[in-house]
């Protein structure tokens, strides 16, 4: 496919609909000499933790090459750029600001604002300072208060030069992948660990929101959640019931407390010893009014009744067709997700804060003809269009990602970028998808 197109009258073609690209600090920045060690530095040292045995030491060398990356944003002519602040770059171990680290982001934000590109900042995209992990990380309730202090200091430093602050990116991944099944940093295992970490992250979100309201009332404040819509593997009643539990465990566990101040039934039904450590007022703190909800969407999954005692559901392998990372391509699930969230909750405006595909890109004669990724973007943007037509309020869309980067446990082997990065030379090349995205943006009214 050569182009990304939308129906001529689509609200997604209005200039007011925000288009951007997204990245995160650990995945692109490198320059580890000027920041504290984080949990991903340590995790990468564990044998076989990362598919290609790589790490984030250099990544896209973005701290040194950010001006070149900024030029890419100008070339694409995006309205907004979503990036994350590395907590270990802007804070010291004593909980004070590190002025050199702050200056890096101040300079970037100033450059963005000078060209009318809205800075969308994520305050936590998984790179917890290691010294806090050494004190228990997200298993330690105190980490939520450390986050509150970090948000206080950094939001006072950056102020309302930031258009939009998101407290967290994908708490599910930090809690479940990092503390429950251990495939992400810090590599801890155990059901209760996952639940405890999730609760403390949600608490930190609520504390962070209160600080943002006080320090930067003119900036937008919200959270970014990832959703993997759950579908039953069959129409049989047990599979349908198990699928509901999977949805509560994976998706609503984060959405419901943030929006309504309560956990879903699947959590409340656990034996008391297996429930998260909820203290008085926690749920009220977690449930703060949001200016926006960030929705990250990539794929869906199928479920059936559990095969083993003690399990809540059985998760199936992804169906075909898949992207290069093995995730099913099923754009319809994005439409169904948005309309079902709209039906179930009283939502603030939504931004699709991440959507994109890892594809097996080849750089040939200076070009990357990623027609498969162009098709992915075309199909998914059209599903956002359909959802908006049904009344869902979506204010913008961010392609994941601006650059090929460090894809966590997959290392550098899975490429999500609109821009190809040669990790030997750091040369950047616009892929066909970047050109198609640019053309879509240029076609707006
Ligand atoms: O690369 C990640 C990103 O950091 C968080 N959301 C999913 C992306 C693709 O796995």
């Amino acid at each position: 496919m050569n182009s990304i197109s939308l129906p001529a009258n689509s609200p997604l073609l209005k200039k007011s609909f925000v288009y951007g690209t997204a990245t995160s600090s650990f995945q692109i920045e490198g320059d580890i000499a000027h920041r504290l060690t984080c949990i991903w530095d340590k995790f990468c040292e564990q044998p076989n933790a990362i598919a290609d045995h790589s790490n984030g030491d250099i990544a896209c060398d973005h701290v040194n090459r950010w001006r070149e990356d900024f030029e890419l944003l100008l070339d694409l002519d995006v309205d907004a750029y979503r990036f994350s602040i590395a907590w270990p770059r802007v804070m010291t171990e004593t909980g004070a600001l590190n002025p050199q680290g702050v200056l890096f982001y101040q300079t970037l934000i100033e450059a963005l604002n000078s060209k009318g590109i809205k800075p969308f900042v994520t305050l936590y995209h998984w790179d917890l300072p290691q010294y806090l992990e050494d004190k228990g990380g997200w298993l330690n309730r105190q980490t939520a208060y450390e986050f509150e202090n970090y948000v206080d200091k950094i939001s006072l430093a950056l102020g309302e030069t930031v258009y939009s602050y998101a407290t967290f990116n994908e708490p599910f991944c930090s809690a479940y992948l990092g503390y429950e099944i251990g495939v992400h940093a810090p590599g801890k295992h155990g059901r209760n660990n996952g639940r405890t970490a999730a609760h403390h992250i949600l608490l930190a979100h609520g504390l962070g929101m209160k600080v943002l309201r006080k320090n930067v009332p003119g900036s937008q404040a919200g959270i970014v959640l990832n959703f993997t819509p759950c579908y039953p593997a069959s129409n049989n009643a047990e599979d349908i019931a198990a699928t509901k539990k999977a949805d509560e465990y994976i998706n609503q566990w984060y959405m419901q407390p943030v929006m309504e101040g309560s956990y879903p039934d699947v959590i409340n039904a656990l034996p008391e010893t297996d429930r998260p450590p909820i203290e008085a007022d926690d749920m009220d703190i977690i449930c703060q009014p949001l200016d926006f909800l960030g929705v990250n969407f990539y794929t869906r999954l199928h479920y059936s009744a559990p095969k083993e005692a003690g399990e809540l559901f059985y998760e199936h392998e992804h169906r075909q067709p898949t992207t290069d990372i093995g995730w099913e391509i099923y754009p319809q699930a994005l439409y169904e997700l948005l309309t079902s969230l709209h039906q179930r909750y009283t939502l603030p405006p939504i931004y699709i804060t991440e959507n994109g595909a890892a594809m097996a890109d080849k750089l040939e004669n200076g070009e990357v003809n990623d027609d498969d990724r162009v098709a992915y973007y075309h199909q998914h943007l059209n599903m956002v269009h359909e959802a908006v037509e049904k009344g869902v309020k979506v204010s913008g869309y961010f392609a994941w990602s601006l650059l090929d980067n460090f894809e966590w446990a997959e290392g550098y082997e899975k490429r999500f970028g609109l821009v190809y990065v040669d990790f030997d030379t750091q040369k950047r090349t616009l892929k066909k998808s970047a050109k198609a995205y640019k053309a879509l943006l240029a076609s707006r009214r």
Side-chain angles (χ1 to χ4, degrees):
M1 187 165 231
N2 282 319
S3 66
I4 306 169
S5 59
L6 287 158
N9 62 348
S10 174
L12 274 66
L13 289 175
K14 288 195 179 145
K15 279 276 188 194
S16 53
F17 190 86
V18 172
Y19 282 96
T21 61
T23 61
S24 89
S25 45
F26 190 86
Q27 292 180 275
I28 64 167
E29 283 184 357
D31 188 50
I32 54 170
H34 297 106
R35 63 159 171 76
L36 301 175
T37 301
C38 78
I39 54 175
W40 273 91
D41 298 313
K42 273 267 180 241
F43 186 66
C44 291
E45 288 171 7
Q46 293 181 18
N48 304 322
I50 311 298
D52 60 2
H53 311 287
S54 62
N55 55 42
D57 288 6
I58 298 174
C60 303
D61 197 25
H62 171 75
V63 168
N64 296 311
R65 296 171 191 265
W66 74 267
R67 282 183 196 280
E68 192 185 336
D69 297 335
F70 173 63
E71 291 296 325
L72 294 171
L73 295 172
L74 295 181
D75 187 5
L76 293 174
D77 208 10
V78 289
D79 308 314
Y81 175 50
R82 175 174 178 247
F83 60 99
S84 76
I85 306 264
W87 180 349
R89 190 177 295 286
V90 297
M91 298 294 285
T92 67
E93 273 204 45
T94 57
L97 282 177
N98 168 4
Q100 195 190 351
V102 175
L103 183 62
F104 169 69
Y105 297 107
Q106 283 168 328
T107 313
L108 172 64
I109 289 167
E110 198 181 309
L112 293 168
N113 281 327
S114 76
K115 295 291 179 186
I117 300 177
K118 294 180 169 68
F120 275 62
V121 159
T122 307
L123 293 162
Y124 186 85
H125 198 126
W126 309 356
D127 39 3
L128 184 72
Q130 180 62 35
Y131 79 90
L132 289 174
E133 182 57 36
D134 294 340
K135 296 178 187 167
W138 290 111
L139 301 180
N140 180 354
R141 187 177 168 94
Q142 180 57 26
T143 300
Y145 299 101
E146 299 292 337
F147 179 78
E148 183 184 33
N149 173 53
Y150 153 56
V151 177
D152 183 41
K153 302 256 161 59
I154 193 67
S155 61
L156 284 175
L158 302 179
E160 294 175 358
T161 62
V162 171
Y163 180 81
S164 155
Y165 287 94
T167 53
F168 282 84
N169 180 70
E170 304 182 348
F172 165 83
C173 295
S174 293
Y176 181 77
L177 303 180
Y179 288 86
E180 186 156 334
I181 63 168
V183 298
H184 275 192
K188 292 199 169 139
H189 296 261
R191 287 238 167 96
N192 285 2
N193 281 341
R195 290 165 191 163
T196 300
H199 184 68
H200 290 155
I201 291 171
L202 288 168
L203 175 65
H205 156 72
L207 294 168
M209 284 295 297
K210 289 178 142 208
V211 171
L212 292 172
R213 293 298 182 210
K214 178 164 63 74
N215 291 355
V216 284
S219 298
Q220 294 193 3
I223 188 169
V224 172
L225 302 179
N226 59 304
F227 292 88
T228 304
C230 302
Y231 289 74
S234 80
N235 282 333
N236 121 8
E238 286 83 38
D239 289 352
I240 292 171
T243 303
K244 181 169 183 293
K245 287 190 179 148
D247 180 50
E248 290 187 358
Y249 205 82
I250 292 163
N251 301 314
Q252 310 309 331
W253 183 342
Y254 302 88
M255 183 68 178
Q256 191 174 314
V258 163
M259 299 301 303
E260 296 177 345
S262 61
Y263 280 119
D265 293 346
V266 78
I267 311 294
N268 297 328
L270 292 169
E272 205 168 321
T273 49
D274 292 352
R275 279 186 229 149
I278 308 170
E279 295 191 8
D281 299 336
D282 281 5
M283 301 314 291
D284 288 344
I285 294 172
I286 291 170
C287 177
Q288 298 295 318
L290 303 176
D291 294 326
F292 72 93
L293 172 71
V295 170
N296 291 358
F297 172 87
Y298 291 89
T299 188
R300 68 165 176 176
L301 276 164
H302 284 89
Y303 293 88
S304 49
K307 297 198 174 186
E308 283 172 36
E311 300 290 334
L312 297 166
F313 47 79
Y314 176 79
E315 186 175 287
H316 290 255
E317 295 287 314
H318 278 277
R319 293 189 177 177
Q320 295 297 320
T322 63
T323 61
D324 192 42
I325 205 168
W327 301 346
E328 184 186 359
I329 303 170
Y330 189 74
Q332 180 74 15
L334 177 54
Y335 169 80
E336 286 165 2
L337 168 68
L338 293 173
T339 47
S340 67
L341 290 177
H342 178 59
Q343 265 167 19
R344 153 94 203 262
Y345 295 101
T346 305
L347 294 173
I350 286 176
Y351 287 95
I352 307 298
T353 31
E354 285 182 30
N355 180 230
M359 295 296 184
D361 298 324
K362 298 253 174 318
L363 178 66
E364 285 165 338
N365 304 321
E367 293 191 347
V368 180
N369 288 312
D370 56 340
D371 299 78
D372 42 11
R373 186 177 288 104
V374 175
Y376 184 98
Y377 279 122
H378 172 81
Q379 290 161 351
H380 285 78
L381 273 160
N382 276 278
M383 287 299 131
V384 178
H385 162 83
E386 295 292 334
V388 171
E389 291 289 291
K390 284 278 181 301
V392 185
K393 292 203 170 40
V394 183
S395 302
Y397 177 95
F398 291 78
W400 182 271
S401 178
L402 173 64
L403 303 168
D404 291 337
N405 59 46
F406 177 78
E407 178 50 31
W408 308 113
E410 305 288 344
Y412 296 94
E413 288 176 355
K414 302 298 173 199
R415 294 178 175 273
F416 274 92
L418 291 173
V419 176
Y420 186 92
V421 178
D422 178 331
F423 292 105
D424 293 328
T425 62
Q426 290 295 341
K427 184 171 167 24
R428 276 81 161 132
T429 305
L430 293 196
K431 301 179 191 176
K432 190 189 263 188
S433 55
K435 295 172 191 165
Y437 197 59
K438 177 178 169 168
L440 171 76
L441 272 53
S443 75
R444 290 179 293 167
R445 296 191 290 275

